[in-house]
Amino acid sequence: MTENKKLIIGISGASGAQYGIRFLEACQALDLETHLVISKAGEITITQETKYSVADVKALATETHNSMNIGASIASGSFKTNGMVVLPCSVRSMSEVATGVTSSLLTRAADVTLKERRKLIIAIRETPFHTGHLRTMTQLSEMGAIIAPPVPAFYTRPQSVNDIVDQFVGHVLNLLSIENSLSKTWTGLGK
């Protein structure tokens, strides 16, 4: 099921850089082709929230793209992919994609993903949401995006933050129809 999978991964400046990093690690373990774009704010968040350098994170991807290079391959619909994940996604990035007024390669690639009717998963990382945020999410959902905030699943009885991150990353892979062993499947009520 993972043959010929080509994904674009965007890491924006929202808190939760570990989700994007773990997603890249999972894709690498599954031998998926990944095209990474990190916003300038995303680079700052990586260094503030994790033990990784930006270079470490970029090394996890098959190919990386400069966030200001709007002429990159992933900016065109002719660059065929199986979808894009923005993980984590800031409110700013989400809003740019929803309006089509994009200022970076990250939001341009997401906009292209939508226009080409490919899967776009927006892992919005903000709380609480005000009505404007909710309307923007509704607008994106109506346009075909999947809105997937990184909300922990406690039925898995996580023992660590890594367990919570893995469960969500596995769930996102499932949304892309990519089999994985990170997410635990609900099997019904236990006895």
Side-chain angles (χ1 to χ4, degrees), residues 84-106:
M84 180 174 180
V85 177
V86 184
L87 177 65
C89 186
S90 66
V91 167
R92 177 186 175 145
S93 294
M94 176 186 71
S95 300
E96 284 190 19
V97 176
T99 62
V101 181
T102 60
S103 66
S104 71
L105 179 60
L106 190 154

Side-chain angles (χ1 to χ4, degrees), residues 1 3 30 34-35 45 49 51 53 56 63 65 73 82 87 108 124 138-140 143 156-157 161 164 174 179:
M1 204 172 227
E3 291 181 40
L30 293 167
T34 55
H35 292 262
T45 304
E49 291 187 351
K51 64 182 180 182
S53 70
D56 292 336
E63 188 172 339
H65 303 272
S73 57
N82 298 94
L87 177 65
R108 169 66 184 161
I124 186 71
T138 299
Q139 181 179 351
L140 277 170
M143 294 164 64
T156 62
R157 296 189 178 186
V161 172
I164 293 169
N174 288 339
E179 291 181 21

Side-chain angles (χ1 to χ4, degrees), residues 55-67:
D56 292 336
V57 176
K58 288 179 177 182
L60 295 170
T62 308
E63 188 172 339
T64 61
H65 303 272
N66 182 298
S67 66

